[in-house]
Amino acid sequence: MSYLGIDLGTSGLRALLLSEDGAVIGVAEQSYTSQHARPGWSEQDPAQWTDALDAAASDLRSRFPAFADLKGVGVAGHMHGATLIDPAGTVIRPCILWNDTRSHAEAKYLDQCDHVRAMSCNIVFPGFTAPKLLWVKHHEPENFARVAKVLLPAAFLGFYLTGDFVADMSDSAGTSWLDVRARDWSPELLAAGDMRADQMPRLVEGSHAAGTLRPEIAKRWGVGEDAIVAAGAGDNAAAACGIGALNDGEAFLSLGTSGVLLAARDTCRPAPASALHTFCHAVPDRWYQMGVMLSATDSLNWLASITGSSAPALTQALGDDLRPPGGTMFLPYLSGERTPHNDADIRGSFTGLAVGTDVADLTRAVLEGVAFGLRDSLEAFEATGTELTRLIAIGGGAQSTYWLKLIATVLNVTLERPRDGEFGAAMGAARLAVMARTGAASEDVLVKPEISEAIAPVQDVKDQFDAAYETFKAAYPKIKSAQSANRGTT
């Protein structure tokens, strides 16, 4: 038997084929693009996702005979996206993505409504789903009137695979429509956002079955029609499943497009004032908290694009030995920020540029700015009484030893890098498929990876980075004020 884990990412889809004993058989990837029609807008055509999924399945089938014995599928996806479906099951408009900030006014309105924070356990961020639907109501009333179902990206792929409207708890917790403690849609939260319960998909725990493959999908993929489709998870909950962050305090750092500090919780302990997210985990009776910065490797990729380089080339040029803080500072707010500022309008900036500033200086500034942004999340955790001393590091940015040494030093934590293998959202999604098919206990399936190395803080420069972080924190209100004044003159 084999199991398929799907990670529907912002820039591409990753499909991982897992054997019955948990070994990776093979991986396939497909890329796609986002559309940015206006500043702060970010959209994708869901047809890109289904095309990418079918292409990845075809690739795996052609290379790995075990694909024909597929018994389960799990889908993880980027959270918060609003995919609007009409009564005929047709997509109404492009999906509004998690990093779209157009609905900041609607988010502010919802966040100030009675009981919204208390029931949803979170600030209503502009990237969340509920404010997006209010924006559609205000600006595209003809589309709003046609909405029969609202699906998150992972749930849309689940609909494509099964023909049923199903969502899991972890993904749905990021909508501002879910009572996160009760793990159910809240009539009060839906009413605050002018939505109805019948417009919501059926809720299923991520490790439980949502349905089976549609016969036409099974035939096209060349697999049996008995393959179970798990309800799946939001990408960060799936990543937690992939690295075995299940019990209270087990935590990881994800250096992907966004930057995430995540800690599993045995109980629901929201702290919305800190701008930490409190969401349901992908398995029953578990939750998690996380701090999120919107532009982590996205910041490095942006620098690579404007310098005609690549992200690996930029970091490799620095070597592995950590240098003291540079004279150039970068605020990594290219798409606004969540933790701790909840600011959709702030944008990135460099300060301290000089005639002699070169690409290496800019690279160091970007890496340091992201590290400081992650420390903002760490301090938010500490303000709630949570001390994180060891974190498993995953994501594309974790391939840079220099960056991990820097982050370990800035956060004053030990970072553990897993031995070569798959530990991200695709692995987590495949593990959820195993659980949905077999009924296996989470403790038996969601195991931790083998660690290849532990990267400790570099004590010789720690005090210098502590001082640089204080300068970074002080820069935010000043840059905010300057940018607001500049907008007032344009």
Side-chain angles (χ1 to χ4, degrees), residues 13 55-56 59 62 82 97 125 143 148 198 200 235 241 274 298 380 426 451 467:
L13 180 144
D59 183 12
S62 68
L97 300 184
F125 292 92
N143 286 333
D198 64 275
M200 299 296 108
D235 52 2
C241 294
S274 68
D298 216 20
I451 301 301

Side-chain angles (χ1 to χ4, degrees), residues 368-444:
E368 291 169 10
V370 171
F372 294 147
L374 291 168
R375 179 159 168 179
D376 279 342
S377 287
L378 183 74
E379 295 205 342
F381 269 105
E382 291 175 346
T384 68
T386 300
E387 184 177 359
L388 303 176
T389 58
R390 300 184 78 87
L391 299 167
I392 296 177
I394 62 173
Q399 297 176 23
S400 168
T401 299
Y402 185 94
W403 210 353
L404 291 190
K405 286 183 177 180
L406 169 62
I407 294 170
T409 304
V410 170
L411 271 57
N412 194 32
V413 301
T414 296
L415 298 180
E416 297 178 330
R417 184 152 55 184
R419 195 169 298 282
D420 291 342
E422 292 281 347
F423 311 105
M427 170 62 83
R431 288 176 164 183
L432 292 172
V434 172
M435 294 170 66
R437 177 77 190 197
T438 66
S442 55
E443 291 80 3
D444 295 332

Side-chain angles (χ1 to χ4, degrees), residues 197-360:
D198 64 275
Q199 293 172 308
M200 299 296 108
R202 176 168 57 93
L203 286 169
V204 174
E205 293 287 355
S207 55
H208 295 172
T212 56
L213 279 182
R214 290 189 293 127
E216 53 267 42
I217 298 285
K219 182 178 180 180
R220 186 163 66 247
W221 287 9
V223 301
E225 294 182 9
D226 63 339
I228 291 291
V229 178
D235 52 2
N236 288 303
C241 294
I243 58 96
L246 177 66
N247 298 310
D248 200 64
E250 294 174 342
F252 71 84
L253 158 71
S254 175
L255 267 181
T257 300
S258 59
V260 173
L261 286 182
L262 184 149
R265 295 293 185 212
D266 291 342
T267 58
C268 183
R269 290 178 277 176
S274 68
L276 289 176
H277 301 35
T278 301
F279 292 154
C280 304
H281 210 319
V283 295
D285 302 321
R286 294 285 196 280
W287 287 260
Y288 67 91
Q289 283 182 309
M290 66 178 179
V292 177
M293 60 181 301
L294 294 179
S295 300
T297 62
D298 216 20
S299 295
L300 186 62
N301 291 334
W302 164 79
L303 181 64
S305 69
I306 66 169
T307 57
S309 184
S310 68
L314 290 176
T315 57
Q316 289 167 10
L318 300 179
D320 288 341
D321 295 330
L322 182 60
R323 309 177 194 183
T328 304
M329 183 171 63
F330 176 69
L331 274 66
Y333 307 135
L334 299 181
S335 301
E337 192 56 300
R338 287 201 190 169
T339 311
H341 302 302
N342 184 27
D343 190 341
D345 293 327
I346 190 69
R347 290 296 179 263
S349 66
F350 280 109
T351 62
L353 299 173
V355 173
T357 301
D358 58 18
V359 172

